Amino acid sequence: QVQLVESGGGSVQAGGSLRLSCAASGYTYSSNCMGWFRQAPGKERQGVAAIYTGGTSTLYADSVKGRFTISQDRAKNTVYLQMNSLKPEDTAMYYCAAECRSGDWYKVLAPTEYIYWGQGTQVTVSS
């Protein structure tokens, strides 16, 4: 059974940092893709960052470039999202996703591309 367990969310003031973790189990972690998504109330789920677990390729949404960093620890089957210089507009439920359907790298920030999803972790940034 595939499990994606997120942790690390919380409440911070604008300008602060948080580090999210996503521990994966039950599927082939290597040579696949994993992504972080977020969804604010009343808004669609949007891609934030993605990583190719078999290499070093990463992709970011324009809104987080230069502030967020996605990384991985293959030994732990875990992906991280380091979020710096947080803004109130970063407030959302953050979800981890795994295993891309098409293998098209340029689709990795699309929610429809992913098969497995975690339960989410809340990030709240106050001004």
Side-chain angles (χ1 to χ4, degrees):
Q1 182 179 359
V2 176
Q3 280 195 315
L4 301 176
V5 180
E6 302 105 330
S7 60
S11 297
V12 295
Q13 290 191 326
S17 298
L18 284 173
R19 188 195 195 203
L20 306 183
S21 299
C22 174
S25 62
Y27 86 109
T28 303
Y29 178 85
S30 62
S31 300
N32 214 305
C33 55
M34 289 187 71
W36 285 100
F37 292 77
R38 65 187 181 188
Q39 188 167 19
K43 295 189 176 181
E44 292 186 352
R45 190 168 297 190
Q46 62 174 194
V48 174
I51 189 166
Y52 174 58
T53 58
T56 59
S57 296
T58 58
L59 197 65
Y60 296 92
D62 288 344
S63 58
V64 306
K65 280 181 183 176
R67 299 189 299 122
F68 291 11
T69 302
I70 189 170
S71 62
Q72 63 178 324
D73 184 334
R74 292 195 189 94
K76 296 181 179 179
N77 284 6
T78 298
V79 171
Y80 305 97
L81 186 68
Q82 178 67 43
M83 305 186 295
N84 298 329
S85 302
L86 282 161
K87 305 175 181 180
E89 51 263 45
D90 294 318
T91 295
M93 184 72 78
Y94 282 70
Y95 298 90
C96 172
E99 192 157 342
C100 291
R101 299 178 190 275
S102 73
D104 184 342
W105 176 248
Y106 293 100
K107 293 182 179 178
V108 295
L109 291 183
T112 52
E113 181 66 3
Y114 289 83
I115 297 174
Y116 302 113
W117 291 85
Q119 293 299 307
T121 185
Q122 178 68 36
V123 172
T124 302
V125 184
S126 58
S127 57

